[in-house]
Amino acid sequence: MNETDIENGLKARLGNNLTDLPSSVAWPNLDHDGARPYLEVIFAGGFRTGGALAGANQILRSRGVMTVNVHADKNGATNTANGYGEAVAALFPEGQAISITGGTVVVQTPSDVRKGFEGDAGWVVPVVIEYVATAT
Amino acid sequence: MADTFLLDIDRWVTKSEKRLDVVAQQFSHDLFRAASKVKPGKQRGGSVTPGFIPRDTGFLAGSAVFDLNGTESGQGENAYVIGLGSMVAGDTATLAWTAAYARAQHYKGWLWVENAKLQSQQILDDVIRRAKARVR
């Protein structure tokens, strides 16, 4: 299990379930045309806990956060963006386990749908998903 | 005999209370410090880095406001340092950034609050260990 495995597992969970969501996603480190509505995925964290006694590269757990920003048009009702936010949060409920290569990612708390704000070019509603990945 | 026993209990209670206060203060301090790290922002050649407050003009980092139990007791970078001195266990300490664009910058990927929150358990464990050694 490594950070790529964790990110891939979380990205697949979102990317394979876009039925009620905008189909356009700005993935980390990939160009995006900025056409709204779209989802923007950002990862942070990667704080690891190990269990090795003698210099082995053993990763038992990795804590992190995946933020999915819903980007909607300005001058519209906030309901649409909030609705997309709720749909994202519903994909990552508390306790949701996602199998990844070499381990499991578990969502730690109910995913937050934070209050929207005016971004550079649109209305943004962040959804914050806290997870802990555990090696098998 | 009974008097000595009561005195022992009294000392134990005082010591426990002191430890609680030390843990509350030190944990809040270390958590707020983790959430207050700065890095050059995009205008100064930096790139979005989770866990840092972008500093271009210094306005965002300087917009920090600290309050204890609802009373504002510090403004600016490191606003929390002096205010925390009067904190006791059970108090509510809040650190907030009041710049209008703080949320936009935060969710754009800097995520300094989320990143500090992810480290909270680790910080607490460390503080408890230190408090056990310090308060005798």
Short mmCIF file of all heavy atoms in Angstrom, two decimals, chain A residues 45-100:
data_model
loop_
_atom_site.label_atom_id
_atom_site.label_comp_id
_atom_site.label_asym_id
_atom_site.label_seq_id
_atom_site.Cartn_x
_atom_site.Cartn_y
_atom_site.Cartn_z
N GLY A 45 -2.44 15.57 3.31
CA GLY A 45 -2.17 14.63 4.41
C GLY A 45 -1.14 13.60 4.01
O GLY A 45 -0.08 13.95 3.49
N GLY A 46 -1.47 12.34 4.23
CA GLY A 46 -0.49 11.29 3.98
C GLY A 46 0.41 11.12 5.20
O GLY A 46 1.60 10.87 5.07
N PHE A 47 -0.19 11.29 6.38
CA PHE A 47 0.58 11.11 7.63
C PHE A 47 0.59 9.64 7.98
O PHE A 47 -0.46 9.04 8.21
CB PHE A 47 -0.03 11.94 8.76
CG PHE A 47 0.05 13.42 8.50
CD1 PHE A 47 -1.08 14.14 8.13
CD2 PHE A 47 1.25 14.09 8.59
CE1 PHE A 47 -1.01 15.49 7.87
CE2 PHE A 47 1.34 15.44 8.34
CZ PHE A 47 0.21 16.15 7.98
N ARG A 48 1.77 9.07 8.04
CA ARG A 48 1.88 7.62 8.15
C ARG A 48 2.24 7.14 9.56
O ARG A 48 2.93 7.83 10.30
CB ARG A 48 2.95 7.11 7.19
CG ARG A 48 2.55 7.25 5.74
CD ARG A 48 3.70 6.92 4.84
NE ARG A 48 3.27 6.76 3.45
CZ ARG A 48 4.09 6.44 2.46
NH1 ARG A 48 5.37 6.26 2.69
NH2 ARG A 48 3.62 6.30 1.23
N THR A 49 1.77 5.94 9.86
CA THR A 49 2.18 5.25 11.07
C THR A 49 2.80 3.94 10.65
O THR A 49 2.22 3.22 9.82
CB THR A 49 0.94 4.94 11.96
OG1 THR A 49 0.21 6.14 12.15
CG2 THR A 49 1.37 4.38 13.31
N GLY A 50 3.96 3.64 11.19
CA GLY A 50 4.64 2.40 10.83
C GLY A 50 4.77 1.49 12.03
O GLY A 50 4.42 1.87 13.16
N GLY A 51 5.28 0.31 11.82
CA GLY A 51 5.44 -0.62 12.94
C GLY A 51 6.76 -1.35 12.91
O GLY A 51 6.96 -2.32 13.64
N ALA A 52 7.67 -0.86 12.05
CA ALA A 52 8.93 -1.59 11.88
C ALA A 52 9.88 -1.30 13.04
O ALA A 52 9.92 -0.20 13.57
CB ALA A 52 9.58 -1.19 10.57
N LEU A 53 10.63 -2.30 13.41
CA LEU A 53 11.61 -2.13 14.50
C LEU A 53 13.03 -1.94 13.97
O LEU A 53 13.87 -1.37 14.63
CB LEU A 53 11.58 -3.35 15.42
CG LEU A 53 10.30 -3.54 16.24
CD1 LEU A 53 10.36 -4.85 16.99
CD2 LEU A 53 10.10 -2.39 17.21
N ALA A 54 13.28 -2.44 12.77
CA ALA A 54 14.67 -2.44 12.31
C ALA A 54 14.82 -1.94 10.88
O ALA A 54 15.37 -2.61 10.02
CB ALA A 54 15.24 -3.85 12.44
N GLY A 55 14.29 -0.74 10.64
CA GLY A 55 14.56 -0.11 9.35
C GLY A 55 13.78 -0.63 8.16
O GLY A 55 14.09 -0.28 7.03
N ALA A 56 12.76 -1.43 8.39
CA ALA A 56 11.97 -1.91 7.26
C ALA A 56 10.96 -0.83 6.86
O ALA A 56 10.54 -0.04 7.69
CB ALA A 56 11.23 -3.19 7.65
N ASN A 57 10.63 -0.81 5.59
CA ASN A 57 9.68 0.19 5.11
C ASN A 57 8.26 -0.33 5.27
O ASN A 57 7.61 -0.72 4.30
CB ASN A 57 9.99 0.52 3.65
CG ASN A 57 9.15 1.69 3.16
OD1 ASN A 57 8.61 2.46 3.96
ND2 ASN A 57 9.01 1.81 1.86
N GLN A 58 7.79 -0.36 6.51
CA GLN A 58 6.48 -0.91 6.78
C GLN A 58 5.50 0.22 7.10
O GLN A 58 5.69 0.95 8.07
CB GLN A 58 6.55 -1.87 7.97
CG GLN A 58 5.25 -2.59 8.22
CD GLN A 58 5.30 -3.43 9.49
OE1 GLN A 58 6.17 -3.25 10.32
NE2 GLN A 58 4.38 -4.34 9.61
N ILE A 59 4.47 0.34 6.30
CA ILE A 59 3.47 1.38 6.54
C ILE A 59 2.18 0.69 7.00
O ILE A 59 1.59 -0.08 6.25
CB ILE A 59 3.19 2.19 5.26
CG1 ILE A 59 4.48 2.86 4.79
CG2 ILE A 59 2.12 3.24 5.52
CD1 ILE A 59 4.49 3.16 3.33
N LEU A 60 1.80 0.95 8.23
CA LEU A 60 0.58 0.32 8.75
C LEU A 60 -0.65 1.16 8.42
O LEU A 60 -1.69 0.64 8.05
CB LEU A 60 0.67 0.15 10.27
CG LEU A 60 1.73 -0.83 10.78
CD1 LEU A 60 1.66 -0.93 12.30
CD2 LEU A 60 1.51 -2.22 10.16
N ARG A 61 -0.51 2.47 8.60
CA ARG A 61 -1.66 3.36 8.37
C ARG A 61 -1.20 4.65 7.71
O ARG A 61 -0.08 5.09 7.91
CB ARG A 61 -2.33 3.71 9.70
CG ARG A 61 -3.29 2.66 10.23
CD ARG A 61 -4.06 3.17 11.43
NE ARG A 61 -3.20 3.47 12.54
CZ ARG A 61 -2.75 2.57 13.40
NH1 ARG A 61 -3.08 1.30 13.25
NH2 ARG A 61 -1.97 2.92 14.39
N SER A 62 -2.11 5.25 6.98
CA SER A 62 -1.85 6.57 6.41
C SER A 62 -3.13 7.38 6.52
O SER A 62 -4.19 6.93 6.08
CB SER A 62 -1.41 6.44 4.95
OG SER A 62 -1.20 7.72 4.40
N ARG A 63 -3.03 8.55 7.17
CA ARG A 63 -4.20 9.41 7.33
C ARG A 63 -4.16 10.54 6.32
O ARG A 63 -3.09 11.09 6.08
CB ARG A 63 -4.22 10.05 8.72
CG ARG A 63 -4.44 9.11 9.87
CD ARG A 63 -4.33 9.86 11.18
NE ARG A 63 -5.36 10.88 11.31
CZ ARG A 63 -6.59 10.62 11.77
NH1 ARG A 63 -6.93 9.41 12.12
NH2 ARG A 63 -7.48 11.58 11.86
N GLY A 64 -5.30 10.86 5.77
CA GLY A 64 -5.31 11.95 4.82
C GLY A 64 -6.70 12.52 4.63
O GLY A 64 -7.66 12.10 5.29
N VAL A 65 -6.78 13.46 3.73
CA VAL A 65 -8.06 14.08 3.44
C VAL A 65 -8.19 14.29 1.94
O VAL A 65 -7.21 14.66 1.28
CB VAL A 65 -8.23 15.40 4.24
CG1 VAL A 65 -7.21 16.43 3.85
CG2 VAL A 65 -9.59 15.98 4.13
N MET A 66 -9.34 13.93 1.41
CA MET A 66 -9.62 14.22 0.00
C MET A 66 -10.68 15.32 -0.02
O MET A 66 -11.74 15.17 0.57
CB MET A 66 -10.14 12.98 -0.74
CG MET A 66 -10.48 13.27 -2.19
SD MET A 66 -10.76 11.80 -3.21
CE MET A 66 -12.50 11.55 -2.99
N THR A 67 -10.34 16.40 -0.67
CA THR A 67 -11.31 17.49 -0.81
C THR A 67 -11.85 17.47 -2.23
O THR A 67 -11.07 17.42 -3.19
CB THR A 67 -10.65 18.86 -0.54
OG1 THR A 67 -10.07 18.82 0.76
CG2 THR A 67 -11.65 19.98 -0.59
N VAL A 68 -13.16 17.48 -2.35
CA VAL A 68 -13.79 17.57 -3.67
C VAL A 68 -14.52 18.90 -3.72
O VAL A 68 -15.51 19.11 -3.01
CB VAL A 68 -14.78 16.41 -3.92
CG1 VAL A 68 -15.40 16.54 -5.30
CG2 VAL A 68 -14.08 15.06 -3.77
N ASN A 69 -14.00 19.83 -4.51
CA ASN A 69 -14.65 21.13 -4.65
C ASN A 69 -15.65 21.08 -5.80
O ASN A 69 -15.28 20.72 -6.93
CB ASN A 69 -13.62 22.23 -4.96
CG ASN A 69 -12.76 22.55 -3.76
OD1 ASN A 69 -13.21 22.46 -2.62
ND2 ASN A 69 -11.52 22.94 -4.00
N VAL A 70 -16.90 21.41 -5.50
CA VAL A 70 -17.92 21.50 -6.55
C VAL A 70 -17.87 22.92 -7.10
O VAL A 70 -18.03 23.88 -6.34
CB VAL A 70 -19.33 21.22 -5.99
CG1 VAL A 70 -20.38 21.40 -7.07
CG2 VAL A 70 -19.40 19.83 -5.38
N HIS A 71 -17.60 23.07 -8.37
CA HIS A 71 -17.55 24.40 -9.00
C HIS A 71 -18.82 24.59 -9.83
O HIS A 71 -19.07 23.83 -10.78
CB HIS A 71 -16.33 24.53 -9.92
CG HIS A 71 -15.04 24.61 -9.16
ND1 HIS A 71 -14.37 25.79 -8.96
CD2 HIS A 71 -14.31 23.65 -8.56
CE1 HIS A 71 -13.27 25.56 -8.24
NE2 HIS A 71 -13.20 24.26 -8.00
N ALA A 72 -19.62 25.58 -9.45
CA ALA A 72 -20.85 25.87 -10.20
C ALA A 72 -20.80 27.32 -10.68
O ALA A 72 -19.92 28.09 -10.28
CB ALA A 72 -22.05 25.65 -9.29
N ASP A 73 -21.77 27.68 -11.53
CA ASP A 73 -21.80 29.05 -12.05
C ASP A 73 -22.16 30.06 -10.97
O ASP A 73 -22.89 29.74 -10.03
CB ASP A 73 -22.82 29.15 -13.18
CG ASP A 73 -22.29 28.53 -14.46
OD1 ASP A 73 -21.06 28.56 -14.66
OD2 ASP A 73 -23.11 28.01 -15.25
N LYS A 74 -21.66 31.28 -11.14
CA LYS A 74 -22.07 32.37 -10.26
C LYS A 74 -23.49 32.79 -10.64
O LYS A 74 -23.98 32.46 -11.72
CB LYS A 74 -21.14 33.57 -10.45
CG LYS A 74 -19.92 33.52 -9.56
CD LYS A 74 -19.09 34.78 -9.74
CE LYS A 74 -17.76 34.60 -9.05
NZ LYS A 74 -16.82 35.68 -9.38
N ASN A 75 -24.11 33.55 -9.77
CA ASN A 75 -25.44 34.10 -10.03
C ASN A 75 -26.49 33.03 -10.27
O ASN A 75 -27.34 33.16 -11.14
CB ASN A 75 -25.43 35.05 -11.23
CG ASN A 75 -24.88 36.40 -10.85
OD1 ASN A 75 -25.06 36.84 -9.72
ND2 ASN A 75 -24.19 37.03 -11.78
N GLY A 76 -26.39 31.97 -9.54
CA GLY A 76 -27.42 30.93 -9.63
C GLY A 76 -27.81 30.53 -8.22
O GLY A 76 -27.22 30.98 -7.25
N ALA A 77 -28.84 29.70 -8.12
CA ALA A 77 -29.23 29.23 -6.80
C ALA A 77 -28.10 28.36 -6.23
O ALA A 77 -27.38 27.70 -6.99
CB ALA A 77 -30.51 28.41 -6.90
N THR A 78 -27.94 28.41 -4.93
CA THR A 78 -26.88 27.60 -4.31
C THR A 78 -27.31 26.14 -4.20
O THR A 78 -26.47 25.27 -3.93
CB THR A 78 -26.54 28.15 -2.91
OG1 THR A 78 -27.73 28.19 -2.13
CG2 THR A 78 -25.92 29.53 -2.99
N ASN A 79 -28.60 25.88 -4.41
CA ASN A 79 -29.12 24.51 -4.25
C ASN A 79 -28.40 23.50 -5.12
O ASN A 79 -28.12 22.38 -4.69
CB ASN A 79 -30.61 24.44 -4.63
CG ASN A 79 -31.45 25.38 -3.81
OD1 ASN A 79 -30.92 26.28 -3.18
ND2 ASN A 79 -32.75 25.17 -3.83
N THR A 80 -28.12 23.91 -6.36
CA THR A 80 -27.52 22.96 -7.29
C THR A 80 -26.15 22.49 -6.79
O THR A 80 -25.89 21.29 -6.71
CB THR A 80 -27.34 23.61 -8.69
OG1 THR A 80 -28.56 24.25 -9.03
CG2 THR A 80 -26.98 22.59 -9.73
N ALA A 81 -25.31 23.47 -6.44
CA ALA A 81 -23.97 23.11 -5.96
C ALA A 81 -24.04 22.32 -4.66
O ALA A 81 -23.32 21.34 -4.46
CB ALA A 81 -23.12 24.36 -5.78
N ASN A 82 -24.94 22.75 -3.76
CA ASN A 82 -25.10 22.01 -2.50
C ASN A 82 -25.57 20.58 -2.78
O ASN A 82 -25.13 19.64 -2.11
CB ASN A 82 -26.12 22.71 -1.59
CG ASN A 82 -25.54 23.96 -0.95
OD1 ASN A 82 -24.33 24.12 -0.86
ND2 ASN A 82 -26.41 24.85 -0.50
N GLY A 83 -26.47 20.45 -3.76
CA GLY A 83 -26.98 19.11 -4.12
C GLY A 83 -25.86 18.22 -4.61
O GLY A 83 -25.76 17.04 -4.23
N TYR A 84 -24.99 18.77 -5.45
CA TYR A 84 -23.83 17.99 -5.92
C TYR A 84 -22.93 17.64 -4.74
O TYR A 84 -22.39 16.53 -4.66
CB TYR A 84 -23.02 18.79 -6.95
CG TYR A 84 -23.69 18.94 -8.30
CD1 TYR A 84 -23.55 20.11 -9.05
CD2 TYR A 84 -24.42 17.89 -8.86
CE1 TYR A 84 -24.14 20.26 -10.29
CE2 TYR A 84 -25.02 18.04 -10.10
CZ TYR A 84 -24.88 19.22 -10.82
OH TYR A 84 -25.45 19.36 -12.04
N GLY A 85 -22.77 18.59 -3.83
CA GLY A 85 -21.95 18.35 -2.64
C GLY A 85 -22.50 17.19 -1.82
O GLY A 85 -21.76 16.30 -1.38
N GLU A 86 -23.81 17.19 -1.65
CA GLU A 86 -24.45 16.10 -0.88
C GLU A 86 -24.26 14.76 -1.61
O GLU A 86 -24.06 13.72 -0.97
CB GLU A 86 -25.95 16.38 -0.68
CG GLU A 86 -26.27 17.58 0.17
CD GLU A 86 -25.93 17.40 1.66
OE1 GLU A 86 -25.54 16.29 2.06
OE2 GLU A 86 -26.04 18.39 2.40
N ALA A 87 -24.33 14.81 -2.94
CA ALA A 87 -24.17 13.56 -3.71
C ALA A 87 -22.75 13.02 -3.57
O ALA A 87 -22.54 11.80 -3.48
CB ALA A 87 -24.51 13.81 -5.18
N VAL A 88 -21.77 13.93 -3.54
CA VAL A 88 -20.38 13.49 -3.32
C VAL A 88 -20.24 12.89 -1.93
O VAL A 88 -19.68 11.81 -1.74
CB VAL A 88 -19.38 14.67 -3.50
CG1 VAL A 88 -17.98 14.24 -3.09
CG2 VAL A 88 -19.37 15.16 -4.94
N ALA A 89 -20.78 13.61 -0.93
CA ALA A 89 -20.68 13.13 0.45
C ALA A 89 -21.34 11.76 0.60
O ALA A 89 -20.87 10.91 1.37
CB ALA A 89 -21.31 14.14 1.40
N ALA A 90 -22.43 11.54 -0.15
CA ALA A 90 -23.14 10.26 -0.06
C ALA A 90 -22.29 9.10 -0.58
O ALA A 90 -22.50 7.95 -0.20
CB ALA A 90 -24.45 10.34 -0.84
N LEU A 91 -21.34 9.42 -1.44
CA LEU A 91 -20.44 8.36 -1.95
C LEU A 91 -19.40 7.97 -0.92
O LEU A 91 -18.77 6.91 -1.02
CB LEU A 91 -19.71 8.85 -3.21
CG LEU A 91 -20.52 9.01 -4.48
CD1 LEU A 91 -19.65 9.62 -5.57
CD2 LEU A 91 -21.07 7.67 -4.93
N PHE A 92 -19.20 8.85 0.07
CA PHE A 92 -18.16 8.61 1.08
C PHE A 92 -18.76 8.75 2.49
O PHE A 92 -18.36 9.62 3.26
CB PHE A 92 -17.00 9.59 0.89
CG PHE A 92 -16.32 9.48 -0.44
CD1 PHE A 92 -16.71 10.28 -1.51
CD2 PHE A 92 -15.31 8.55 -0.64
CE1 PHE A 92 -16.09 10.17 -2.75
CE2 PHE A 92 -14.69 8.43 -1.88
CZ PHE A 92 -15.08 9.25 -2.94
N PRO A 93 -19.73 7.89 2.83
CA PRO A 93 -20.31 7.99 4.18
C PRO A 93 -19.33 7.48 5.23
O PRO A 93 -18.38 6.76 4.90
CB PRO A 93 -21.53 7.08 4.09
CG PRO A 93 -21.18 6.07 3.05
CD PRO A 93 -20.29 6.77 2.06
N GLU A 94 -19.58 7.85 6.47
CA GLU A 94 -18.72 7.41 7.57
C GLU A 94 -18.66 5.88 7.60
O GLU A 94 -19.68 5.21 7.50
CB GLU A 94 -19.27 7.93 8.90
CG GLU A 94 -18.40 7.58 10.09
CD GLU A 94 -18.93 8.19 11.37
OE1 GLU A 94 -20.10 8.60 11.41
OE2 GLU A 94 -18.16 8.26 12.34
N GLY A 95 -17.47 5.36 7.71
CA GLY A 95 -17.30 3.91 7.80
C GLY A 95 -17.20 3.21 6.46
O GLY A 95 -16.95 2.00 6.41
N GLN A 96 -17.39 3.96 5.36
CA GLN A 96 -17.30 3.34 4.04
C GLN A 96 -15.90 2.78 3.82
O GLN A 96 -14.90 3.48 3.98
CB GLN A 96 -17.60 4.38 2.95
CG GLN A 96 -17.44 3.89 1.52
CD GLN A 96 -18.51 2.89 1.14
OE1 GLN A 96 -19.70 3.15 1.35
NE2 GLN A 96 -18.11 1.75 0.59
N ALA A 97 -15.83 1.49 3.50
CA ALA A 97 -14.53 0.86 3.25
C ALA A 97 -14.32 0.71 1.75
O ALA A 97 -15.24 0.34 1.01
CB ALA A 97 -14.48 -0.50 3.92
N ILE A 98 -13.14 1.06 1.29
CA ILE A 98 -12.80 0.96 -0.13
C ILE A 98 -11.55 0.09 -0.23
O ILE A 98 -10.50 0.44 0.34
CB ILE A 98 -12.53 2.36 -0.74
CG1 ILE A 98 -13.77 3.25 -0.58
CG2 ILE A 98 -12.12 2.26 -2.19
CD1 ILE A 98 -13.49 4.73 -0.73
N SER A 99 -11.66 -1.01 -0.95
CA SER A 99 -10.50 -1.90 -1.09
C SER A 99 -9.50 -1.29 -2.06
O SER A 99 -9.88 -0.80 -3.13
CB SER A 99 -10.94 -3.26 -1.63
OG SER A 99 -11.67 -3.91 -0.63
N ILE A 100 -8.25 -1.30 -1.68
CA ILE A 100 -7.19 -0.81 -2.57
C ILE A 100 -6.08 -1.86 -2.61
O ILE A 100 -6.10 -2.81 -1.80
CB ILE A 100 -6.61 0.54 -2.07
CG1 ILE A 100 -6.02 0.38 -0.66
CG2 ILE A 100 -7.66 1.63 -2.09
CD1 ILE A 100 -5.17 1.55 -0.22
#
